[in-house]
Amino acid sequence: MSALDAGRRPVIRPDVQAMHAYAIQDSAGMVKLDAMENPHRLPPALQQALGQRLGALALNRYPDARVNDLRQALARYAVMPDGFDLMLGNGSDELISLLALACAVPPSSVNGFKKAGVLAPVPGFVMYAMSAQLQGLDFHGVALTENFELDEGAMLAAIKEHQPALTYLAYPNNPTANLWNDAVIESVIEAAGAQGGLVVIDEAYQPFSSKSYIDRLARHHHVLLLRTLSKFGLAGIRLGYLMGRRELIAEIDKVRPPYNVSVLNCECALFALEHQEVFAAQALDLRAQRALLFDELAKLPGVHAYPSEANMLLVRVPDAQKTFEGMRLRKVLVKNVSTMHPLLSNCLRVTVGTKEENQQMLAALRNCL
């Protein structure tokens, strides 16, 4: 009899038992267009140089001050404002979890005996809600409009009602891939700050976007900027970074596990930043491929592709499940997001790949409509 059997003292939290683990699709032998990865690998010369560099690392030692070199390099790359600092995470997922942990203030007379909360527009990145639940915070999702814009009135009402500790604004959003109105964003930021909450601008897809919040970050004391090197082209090394006012980052950094970024992750990231022109060229190619793909999708009957500021396209088809399965049988893997939220009915999310991959995807899609 296992520890989960009925009649025994529960060992695993009931809410965890009721959850579904984050699903990763089997992509063996597939054209993999389901996870917003950069499809380009390092050029052979850089592969060799990086291999030699990693081979010389002291893997027998814990990470040392080299991580501070990476923090400084990222600050220069991002053009971080004066008076700000950044902390590193094992991907942005860890940073989202650490933010929830740091803000999980227990109910007391000070907060009216209410649980701390996280608020975000939906549909959005699933980890905002998952991290809130795992850390014991309430999650409040506020539906976007039918055009996937922020519903300003609903957002402001939810902030007033729930007084969230954390409000997430993905810029651009996943899976809708759009940027939101700047004036509405500022309205939400001001409202969240007025009741004492933090706002996190999640710029995971910044390399593919026409805009960033970085030049507005210094206006506020309660706004944090979250980025990742996954979309930069380093999804495999799992490295994210969080920027904010120095005193605010110092508080959040207290909950970060020691040595959370390995020497391998750190050195790979430093190497990539030293060759950032290679990754900038890759991002430029993917933006061009995105435009071509958008035009081709517009020619397909019954297909509607939404404008994108990320390395993905949200595509509405007549029957998402049938199309998804048909494409998978043709060895093309995309993401079926149609059950994530009612606004995404019959929608697929397609990563922008190489020219060849995009052509294979389009051929498979045509045969499945």
Side-chain angles (χ1 to χ4, degrees):
M1 181 179 291
S2 76
L4 299 180
D5 288 339
R8 297 286 299 274
R9 179 176 60 87
V11 176
I12 305 298
R13 284 166 35 187
D15 62 326
V16 172
Q17 293 185 47
M19 291 175 65
H20 296 285
Y22 190 94
I24 299 175
Q25 301 183 93
D26 183 7
S27 61
M30 299 283 216
V31 176
K32 192 175 188 301
L33 300 175
D34 68 321
M36 291 84 72
E37 296 150 322
N38 180 339
H40 298 294
R41 300 191 64 178
L42 279 176
L46 291 186
Q47 290 181 27
Q48 183 176 6
L50 177 59
Q52 292 175 345
R53 188 155 154 178
L54 295 181
L57 293 175
L59 300 181
N60 58 313
R61 302 293 185 187
Y62 287 113
D64 57 13
R66 188 65 166 155
V67 296
N68 291 327
D69 295 337
L70 175 56
R71 291 172 59 245
Q72 293 166 13
L74 284 168
R76 290 191 298 270
Y77 168 73
V79 194
M80 187 174 72
D82 292 337
F84 280 65
D85 201 355
L86 63 81
M87 62 181 284
L88 305 177
N90 194 306
S92 58
D93 292 343
E94 184 186 35
L95 291 166
I96 291 168
S97 179
L98 293 178
L99 280 164
L101 178 61
C103 295
V105 178
S108 70
S109 59
V110 176
N111 56 21
F113 296 97
K114 292 175 60 177
K115 289 172 65 177
V118 173
L119 187 144
V122 291
F125 186 36
V126 296
M127 291 307 298
Y128 304 150
M130 185 175 290
S131 65
Q133 181 178 353
L134 289 174
Q135 299 297 347
L137 289 80
D138 286 331
F139 178 76
H140 309 286
V142 181
L144 298 172
T145 68
E146 290 186 359
N147 294 324
F148 304 131
E149 297 292 338
L150 285 176
D151 187 330
E152 182 177 8
M155 287 290 291
L156 297 181
I159 289 169
K160 181 178 181 180
E161 178 183 358
H162 301 297
Q163 299 182 342
L166 289 166
T167 297
Y168 281 95
L169 295 173
Y171 191 76
N173 188 44
N174 170 19
T176 58
N178 59 318
L179 293 169
W180 290 317
N181 180 275
D182 289 338
V184 176
I185 288 175
E186 291 303 314
S187 176
V188 170
I189 286 173
E190 293 293 343
Q195 55 81 35
L198 301 177
V199 177
V200 182
I201 307 292
D202 186 348
E203 290 195 343
Y205 302 94
Q206 181 271 329
F208 312 101
S209 177
S210 62
K211 298 173 72 173
S212 169
Y213 198 82
I214 189 69
D215 58 343
R216 291 166 274 174
L217 189 59
R219 298 178 185 176
H220 306 284
H221 286 77
H222 67 293
V223 177
L224 297 152
L225 191 67
L226 179 65
R227 287 187 179 177
T228 176
L229 292 186
S230 293
K231 316 311 172 189
F232 180 85
L234 301 176
I237 75 165
R238 310 304 301 127
L239 195 130
Y241 56 107
L242 181 72
M243 289 183 281
R245 294 279 179 179
R246 185 173 289 118
E247 60 274 16
L248 180 54
I249 291 294
E251 294 300 320
I252 301 168
D253 194 56
K254 293 175 182 178
V255 302
R256 178 181 55 83
Y259 313 125
N260 66 322
V261 174
S262 80
V263 293
L264 294 169
N265 298 35
C266 178
E267 208 61 38
C268 282
L270 279 165
F271 182 86
L273 291 171
E274 291 165 13
H275 300 279
Q276 59 186 265
E277 71 283 352
V278 174
F279 296 91
Q282 292 176 357
L284 189 64
D285 170 68
L286 292 174
R287 291 170 76 164
Q289 290 299 322
R290 179 182 68 194
L292 293 172
L293 191 54
F294 182 82
D295 290 343
E296 289 301 312
L297 288 167
K299 300 175 184 177
L300 299 180
V303 172
H304 178 77
Y306 292 88
S308 171
E309 291 276 347
N311 64 333
M312 58 180 160
L313 287 162
L314 186 69
V315 182
R316 198 179 299 273
V317 296
D319 187 330
Q321 185 61 31
K322 175 187 174 184
T323 304
F324 169 77
E325 294 292 351
M327 294 178 75
R328 187 165 63 173
L329 288 173
R330 291 166 175 81
K331 301 299 181 182
V332 175
L333 189 64
V334 297
K335 184 77 170 180
N336 183 0
V337 297
S338 62
T339 60
M340 279 182 58
H341 191 274
L343 288 171
L344 298 176
S345 175
N346 280 321
C347 281
L348 304 173
R349 188 189 65 197
V350 180
T351 302
V352 179
T354 63
K355 179 180 179 180
E356 294 74 19
E357 288 174 334
N358 295 335
Q359 288 175 343
Q360 289 176 271
M361 186 282 293
L362 286 168
L365 178 57
R366 290 189 189 99
N367 286 317
C368 295
L369 293 174

